[in-house]
Amino acid sequence: MSWQTYVDDHLMCDIDGLGQHLSAAAIVGLDGSVWAQSSTFPPQIKPEEITGIMKDFDEPGHLAPTGLHLGGTKYMVIQGEPGAVIRGKKGSGGVTIKKTSQALVFGMYEEPVTAGQCNMIVESLGDYLVDQGL
């Protein structure tokens, strides 16, 4: 299966048959290279943004004082799972990032999609990829 298929069929899927979808999604290598992304994923991800995210996985809490920046948008860092999941919130939306051994799985949402729905989609795919050794 191609990386783009994972994004299209597993991250940008219809949630609970309600016609709701994540607003954007991507799978990015730990080096910052984009493996696959939705057409709505921010195109201007900066290397220092990926570096900050990677540092927070290594040193949980690193991003809390400054916020999580993604494509120039600042998210408030909220409770995640140290070393495994980073969650951010901005207004009525947010972002979930799951780290696997080789990649970062990103999911972004806006209402009416909830943080819990986004977490479930992103973390389920991330757990699957971890189980596959990816």
Side-chain angles (χ1 to χ4, degrees), residues 58-75:
D58 292 337
E59 300 172 24
H62 167 75
L63 290 174
T66 59
L68 163 66
H69 291 81
L70 200 55
T73 300
K74 181 179 178 181
Y75 295 86

Side-chain angles (χ1 to χ4, degrees), residues 8-25:
D8 296 341
D9 295 350
H10 297 280
L11 295 174
M12 297 300 290
C13 59
D14 185 342
I15 300 169
D16 299 329
L18 302 174
Q20 300 171 357
H21 305 269
L22 296 181
S23 57

Side-chain angles (χ1 to χ4, degrees), residues 15-16 96 115-126:
I15 300 169
D16 299 329
T96 302
Q117 289 170 314
C118 182
N119 295 343
M120 183 187 67
I121 291 168
V122 171
E123 293 172 37
S124 293
L125 179 60

Side-chain angles (χ1 to χ4, degrees), residues 78-96:
I78 56 177
Q79 180 182 3
E81 296 173 27
V85 179
I86 297 172
R87 299 184 184 114
K89 181 96 174 116
K90 177 176 175 57
S92 62
V95 61
T96 302

Side-chain angles (χ1 to χ4, degrees), residues 22-46:
L22 296 181
S23 57
I27 300 173
V28 177
L30 298 181
D31 62 358
S33 61
V34 176
W35 293 3
Q37 65 185 27
S38 65
S39 61
T40 52
F41 193 75
Q44 64 280 18
I45 301 285
K46 298 176 179 69

